[in-house]
Amino acid sequence: MAAPLVAPPRGDEKAKAERKAAKAEKKAAKKNPPESVSAAVLSDDEKSDTKAKRKAARTAKRSAKKASPDAAAPLVAPLGDEEKAQAKAARKVEKAKKKSEKKSARGDGAEPGDAQQAAVKAERKAKKAEKKADRKNRKSDDGDDDAGGRETRISLAGFSADLASRIRERIESVLAASDASCRWAEPDGKSDVTVYAFEEPSAGAEQIGASIESIANDRARFRIFIGRAGLPASDGADPFGAENQAIAKLASTFEGAFVDVASQSRRYGAERVLENGALSDFGAELVATAILGIASSGRVAKSSLPRPQWPVPPDLAEARALDAASVLAQLTWSGPKVPRPLLMHATKESMEAFLDGKVAVTEEQSFDLKLPIAWPSELPTRTAEAQVLGLELLSGPLNYWYVKASGGSDAEIDALIKERSVSAGEILARAGKIIVDFADSHPPSHSAAWAESAVSRRAPVLALFVLCCKLATKRKVKFDEAVFLRVFNELLNLIEVLRASDFYKPGSFEGVQQDSLLAGLALSLRKTDYAERLLTESTERLKMLQLDVGLTADGVWRAGTFSDHCSLLTQFRTMIGDFGPNDTALKEPLAAAAKKMTVFAEALLKSDGSPPAFDDGRQKSYLKKIAGTRRALADAGFGKNAPAKGKPMARITDTYVFREGQYFASHTTRNPVPDSSLVILHREAPSVARDNPGGISLAFAHGAKDLLVGADPGEGTKRKDKAANFDASLRNGYQIDGVGYVPEQPFKPNSARLTKSWRGEGWAAAKSIDETNPAGSIIRTVVHLKAQHALIVVDELRTADGSEASFEQFWHVAPGLAAPDSTQTPLRFAGTENGNLTVAFDAQGTISSGPEGEGGTCVRRSLKLAKGVAASLFQWSETPADAVLKVLSAGDGDWSLEAIGSGFDALISLAGEELRYEPKAAP
């Protein structure tokens, strides 16, 4: 029995407890003096009754206030939370400024930008406090109920009055049936979900794309974008293909959702969805259902809307009407292995757990598979969630069953099965009963069992069971057809969740995985009418909403890391391998994308096959993946040149410019040899959803060794700390007056960009502009001297208001390079095995350096100016080398300098758009 919250006095402690109680009453009386003498001598029952009455009065007062929002406010309002927060924040700002001034006056080692940094930090805290108070006030105004929840606020933008009215009516009807409700936010007010439509007939793709800035400034937590639909052209093409691609790109940019009305029109029938070229009442119902489905999927924070029920489309109704024999007769997959999305290798441990009927959740926790199963309600790890909610505890046994029935074997598991005297029919029967028991215990709901991760893991397991039953009919292995049919229909339910827009993200790694999974599930059910439509729909969606949206024309995946790019290559290669020889039309878009993506991937690899450390991707060799993709394309008839195993292919060039993808990559040679250097200049795209303005990144490497790298934020930095995670200084950039990231700026899609590139004999160069910091701009020109393994960086600096500011330059030298003892230039960093990195600057500014991360060094240069040019030089050489940089002239867009290093002595100049590299003649 639980112990009482307050332990009663024991023995001789009774008097002590009474004294404490009297003292507490006295203290309470002082804090809240009685209004009359009689109130001070109330009995305990009377006190309790009075307290209850006061509480009831306060509740009634609050209710009256909510009911009468226009009631007059008192003439003099007390100091509220917001005012208190602002006053406290102002005191913090003043205190920080005084502290910085005292530190500077003492001269105790303060860096030039410390005062500004402290002041900016204090101002950020002030804004944060104001926001916190504002949120608290808004929460009160929003009318939170006693349980602490509130209605989800939905805003409709760009809809005609008629369509908006019909969608509202449908949503309210669905919510009322579930005893739920929402609030309709004002168009310019804050919302939890803003839904955007583009009904104006004259709104073309260009106009839709240009709306990005106005949408970015809306006060929406999550955004849903509604596609357009019309009667298909004579060739079946979408009449709004270009417009829908532009809308889907907006959804991708804002990490929102896209409702593919054109696809719904094809599935349900254009005659039902459209009426006189516009959405019919049924079409409006589908859009309303999609909005509720997305809002209830967990993607909208703090939304408690119920999951809606979709109208049943004809192909699903037909599939559900099939009996077991009809389904089994139509299935045609008969390969020795299942489609790749269903594949999971069996282990002895997974089979033992299945046969023993005991599944470990953690080292200490397990549960029995004895029917009915007591499924655990709390799962401490993602692995446990996958095993239980994804039913991956059955993946190994079912994969073993399929491979064994197809003529394969696993000696270790074969021996285990023989030892236990378990028949093939018993394994299949037990797996089917476990699936049915899970389905009975986890009907569709808001629970974790119906989250995207669980659904995506569970669907392949059920599809694998269906294929095992198909194979069982051939092998004359008996199974319960009623169980088979139940599992088949549960699989259809999971597929419908994945087909909808609930979890789907256009132009994303996750979206590609979802479409690839649907295609794999369609292959496993192929030749049923339902699966044929699913295969067509999933591959079309993959092309339109992933490849056309997420992939640039020059083969760069827009979102995520370089590792994500290479993982997608593997995904496309896998899909091509799963399609049959007659599926050329399905394979062609994937092959075309893979070929372009392979060129980009090869462009960014060092001699050992790994990329420079310029993003958060994994630092490992991708040569095997890329070579495997090239061989798969060649085998499928989509490529001619396939590399031999273990031998990297020569690059198609030594200098790459991906203009749409915003990458510049310069190598010493086409061949991936150890004595080759690599320079990468890259524009990281902005993300409105993450409040990341993007910016310019620079990396430098020689052979397999990184020289200049991107830095990680400090240890312990939280993902929500945007100032720490998105600071431009992490990318070998600048802080201006101590600030490298300014939150909540007006969105500018091209505030950072690559603008120009040049190539010459033995050198290549590129120019970028970074205006992400409102305090100033940096125009950067990088010159790669290929044979000399030298990188020269020229930065044109300018403040926004023309006044002087502190520009602090950050250079992140990679781990494994020993820092020099002093900051006298040139700086020489010694490699752990051999070689040296020489770093030199022009004569301006003060230099400092210090250790960072795991063995790296941060070199900082501080300059005080309103406008000017700063030049830096980095060179890798076998022995320590001298280096000299001298700025000869600096004007608006024009500059010239002298650069001397190991193996070169040259003049470099920029006049407008003309860059010149002129080696000096030998004396």
Side-chain angles (χ1 to χ4, degrees):
M1 185 173 120
L5 294 176
V6 180
R10 296 192 303 273
D12 57 355
E13 294 181 356
K14 184 176 180 180
K16 183 177 179 181
E18 288 175 350
R19 287 196 302 272
K20 280 188 176 181
K23 187 176 180 180
E25 286 182 14
K26 187 176 180 181
K27 188 176 181 180
K30 286 181 179 179
K31 190 173 182 180
N32 302 299
E35 296 178 4
S36 65
V37 176
S38 60
V41 292
L42 292 174
S43 67
D44 288 343
D45 290 340
E46 289 170 324
K47 285 179 183 177
S48 178
D49 185 53
T50 302
K51 185 176 180 180
K53 288 179 179 178
R54 286 201 302 268
K55 185 175 181 180
R58 286 197 302 270
T59 302
K61 187 176 180 180
R62 282 198 301 268
S63 300
K65 185 177 180 181
K66 289 179 182 178
S68 305
D70 299 327
L75 293 176
V76 180
L79 192 63
D81 289 338
E82 185 174 357
E83 290 84 355
K84 287 179 182 178
Q86 290 174 343
K88 185 178 179 180
R91 289 196 299 271
K92 283 186 177 181
V93 173
E94 189 62 30
K95 185 177 179 181
K97 287 181 179 177
K98 287 181 180 179
K99 186 176 179 181
S100 299
E101 289 169 1
K102 287 180 180 178
K103 189 174 181 182
S104 299
R106 288 198 308 268
D108 54 359
E111 293 289 342
D114 283 351
Q116 294 96 327
Q117 280 184 288
V120 170
K121 186 176 181 181
E123 287 175 7
R124 283 202 301 266
K125 285 186 176 180
K127 288 182 179 179
K128 190 174 180 180
E130 290 175 19
K131 286 182 181 179
K132 187 175 181 180
D134 187 43
R135 281 197 301 269
K136 189 173 181 181
N137 291 337
R138 286 201 304 270
K139 186 176 179 182
S140 176
D141 294 340
D142 286 337
D144 288 6
D145 57 31
D146 292 337
R150 62 167 172 77
E151 295 174 318
T152 300
R153 296 164 296 186
I154 303 176
S155 176
L156 302 180
F159 289 82
S160 66
D162 172 65
L163 182 56
S165 175
R166 287 186 286 153
I167 288 176
R168 284 196 189 100
E169 183 179 341
R170 177 59 187 171
I171 289 176
E172 288 170 356
S173 173
V174 172
L175 294 180
S178 302
D179 197 24
S181 61
C182 68
R183 288 182 62 185
W184 297 104
E186 295 296 325
D188 57 348
K190 187 166 184 178
S191 69
D192 298 301
V193 184
T194 295
V195 187
Y196 299 90
F198 301 87
E199 281 197 272
E200 183 62 41
S202 61
E206 187 175 345
Q207 183 179 343
I208 290 169
S211 64
I212 184 171
E213 291 190 45
S214 61
I215 293 173
N217 296 318
D218 288 348
R219 302 172 67 194
R221 287 187 174 181
F222 188 81
R223 297 171 174 88
I224 300 174
F225 296 84
I226 308 299
R228 298 173 68 174
L231 294 174
S234 57
D235 60 354
D238 180 1
F240 294 110
E243 289 82 356
N244 282 331
Q245 184 177 337
I247 296 170
K249 282 185 177 179
L250 289 176
S252 176
T253 298
F254 291 98
E255 297 184 20
F258 175 77
V259 178
D260 191 354
V261 182
S263 177
Q264 292 177 351
S265 176
R266 290 191 293 270
R267 191 176 186 197
Y268 285 92
E271 67 282 357
R272 294 185 66 195
V273 176
L274 301 173
E275 185 176 341
N276 297 324
L279 285 177
S280 64
D281 287 344
F282 180 71
E285 177 186 346
L286 292 179
V287 171
T289 304
I291 292 170
L292 281 176
I294 295 164
S296 64
S297 67
R299 298 173 71 182
V300 179
K302 299 181 180 179
S303 172
S304 57
L305 295 176
R307 177 166 286 177
Q309 188 71 35
W310 279 88
V312 179
D315 62 316
L316 178 60
E318 291 172 7
R320 285 177 174 169
L322 295 173
D323 58 23
S326 299
V327 175
L328 290 165
Q330 292 182 44
L331 298 180
T332 59
W333 185 274
S334 58
K337 292 183 179 179
V338 297
R340 305 293 176 85
L342 280 61
L343 184 62
M344 180 175 285
H345 294 291
T347 63
K348 181 181 177 182
E349 291 74 20
S350 65
M351 184 60 80
E352 280 183 330
F354 174 76
L355 295 177
D356 292 338
K358 203 168 189 68
V359 178
V361 176
T362 63
E363 291 183 0
E364 298 82 18
Q365 181 186 356
S366 63
F367 69 98
D368 292 327
L369 294 178
K370 184 179 179 181
L371 300 175
I373 300 171
W375 296 95
S377 57
E378 293 185 6
L379 299 165
T381 65
R382 290 184 179 179
T383 301
E385 287 183 352
Q387 284 288 101
V388 179
L389 301 182
L391 286 181
E392 288 191 351
L393 58 94
L394 299 177
S395 293
L398 287 174
N399 262 291
Y400 167 79
W401 197 100
Y402 188 91
V403 171
K404 184 70 175 177
S406 299
S409 65
D410 184 311
E412 194 174 30
I413 299 180
D414 288 346
L416 178 65
I417 297 295
K418 186 176 181 180
E419 179 186 325
R420 301 291 183 92
S421 300
V422 180
S423 69
E426 287 176 317
I427 294 175
L428 200 57
R430 186 180 300 182
K433 290 175 181 177
I434 291 172
I435 294 172
V436 170
D437 187 273
F438 183 93
D440 289 340
S441 303
H442 300 85
S445 66
H446 273 296
S447 69
W450 288 88
E452 186 272 336
S453 58
V455 171
S456 295
R457 291 178 182 276
R458 199 159 67 247
V461 177
L462 271 61
L464 183 54
F465 178 83
V466 168
L467 287 183
C468 286
C469 290
K470 169 64 177 179
L471 202 53
T473 60
K474 290 185 176 181
R475 299 290 181 268
K476 308 299 182 183
V477 177
K478 292 184 178 181
F479 59 90
D480 190 331
E481 289 192 353
V483 170
F484 165 81
L485 196 58
R486 175 67 190 281
V487 173
F488 174 73
N489 279 284
E490 287 298 326
L491 174 59
L492 296 180
N493 293 339
L494 297 176
I495 290 174
E496 288 302 307
V497 172
L498 296 173
R499 285 178 88 162
S501 304
D502 297 7
F503 308 120
Y504 194 71
K505 301 175 183 178
S508 70
F509 182 79
E510 298 86 352
V512 171
Q513 287 185 310
Q514 194 167 326
D515 283 333
S516 300
L517 172 57
L518 283 172
L521 295 171
L523 289 174
S524 67
L525 303 178
R526 199 159 193 186
K527 294 306 179 184
T528 63
D529 291 341
Y530 178 85
E532 291 300 319
R533 175 177 283 277
L534 174 62
L535 185 59
T536 300
E537 180 186 293
S538 59
T539 51
E540 285 181 350
R541 188 169 78 166
L542 175 61
K543 182 184 182 303
M544 177 190 144
L545 299 185
Q546 299 302 331
L547 300 181
D548 293 349
V549 171
L551 189 65
T552 65
D554 44 17
V556 180
W557 190 255
R558 300 176 193 273
T561 65
F562 181 78
S563 296
D564 293 334
H565 180 99
C566 293
S567 295
L568 289 175
L569 263 179
T570 303
Q571 189 89 56
F572 297 151
R573 183 184 73 188
T574 298
M575 291 184 69
I576 291 171
D578 275 342
F579 289 138
N582 298 323
D583 292 325
T584 304
L586 298 177
K587 291 188 273 189
E588 279 178 343
L590 299 174
K595 289 171 72 174
K596 292 189 294 185
M597 294 175 72
T598 300
V599 172
F600 170 73
E602 289 174 335
L604 266 61
L605 297 183
K606 298 181 294 186
S607 63
D608 66 343
S610 67
F614 69 94
D615 67 9
D616 295 330
R618 290 185 292 172
Q619 301 302 302
K620 66 171 192 175
S621 176
Y622 292 93
L623 282 178
K624 287 185 178 180
K625 279 189 175 183
I626 294 171
T629 300
R630 281 199 177 278
R631 285 193 295 272
L633 290 173
D635 292 344
F638 295 103
K640 296 179 180 179
N641 299 322
K645 288 189 176 181
K647 291 185 178 181
M649 285 184 64
R651 304 180 186 96
I652 61 173
T653 183
D654 58 19
T655 303
Y656 297 82
V657 179
F658 302 93
R659 298 200 180 279
E660 188 179 353
Q662 291 280 282
Y663 275 90
F664 165 83
S666 175
H667 295 265
T668 298
T669 68
R670 288 179 56 200
N671 295 317
V673 296
D675 189 24
S676 175
S677 53
L678 167 62
V679 171
I680 292 178
L681 185 68
H682 163 52
R683 187 286 304 264
E684 181 185 339
S687 170
V688 182
R690 302 180 189 184
D691 201 15
N692 179 4
I696 301 298
S697 297
L698 177 63
F700 184 35
H702 177 271
K705 190 169 193 59
D706 286 321
L707 302 177
L708 287 179
V709 299
D712 292 324
E715 187 177 351
T717 301
K718 296 180 179 179
R719 292 181 64 185
K720 292 183 178 180
D721 188 349
K722 297 172 184 176
N725 285 290
F726 302 145
D727 196 300
S729 64
L730 299 176
R731 300 186 294 266
N732 293 311
Y734 283 81
Q735 288 184 350
I736 304 176
D737 283 340
V739 179
Y741 168 81
V742 179
E744 298 184 353
Q745 303 178 57
F747 177 72
K748 297 179 181 177
N750 291 311
S751 56
R753 57 204 181 273
L754 270 59
T755 60
K756 182 70 175 174
S757 64
W758 302 266
R759 303 184 197 194
E761 186 177 349
W763 64 274
K767 183 169 77 171
S768 66
I769 298 175
D770 193 335
E771 298 170 325
T772 56
N773 194 325
S777 63
I778 296 94
I779 300 177
R780 169 165 286 181
T781 303
V782 300
V783 182
H784 180 210
L785 306 184
K786 295 174 179 283
Q788 293 79 21
H789 310 312
L791 166 65
I792 299 167
V793 182
V794 184
D795 293 326
E796 300 170 60
L797 311 175
R798 183 191 295 268
T799 58
D801 59 7
S803 61
E804 265 196 358
S806 170
F807 283 82
E808 188 160 24
Q809 197 177 53
F810 289 75
W811 298 109
H812 303 285
V813 180
L817 295 168
D821 294 331
S822 73
T823 56
Q824 183 176 353
T825 58
L827 306 176
R828 297 183 179 89
F829 294 81
T832 54
E833 297 178 358
N834 52 40
N836 293 264
L837 175 66
T838 299
V839 181
F841 304 102
D842 64 78
Q844 305 173 86
T846 57
I847 311 297
S848 63
S849 70
E852 70 173 358
E854 299 180 3
T857 304
C858 180
V859 178
R860 299 162 68 169
R861 177 162 64 141
S862 298
L863 306 104
K864 194 81 173 179
L865 47 79
K867 181 175 69 172
V869 170
S872 311
L873 184 152
F874 306 87
Q875 184 177 22
W876 180 260
S877 57
E878 290 187 7
T879 58
D882 288 327
V884 176
L885 267 183
K886 184 178 180 180
V887 177
L888 302 177
S889 64
D892 286 339
D894 298 340
W895 50 260
S896 64
L897 59 85
E898 180 182 29
I900 302 173
S902 177
F904 67 93
D905 183 348
L907 294 175
I908 305 174
S909 62
L910 178 68
E913 294 298 304
E914 183 181 359
L915 181 70
R916 297 174 65 89
Y917 175 77
E918 302 172 286
K920 291 184 180 179

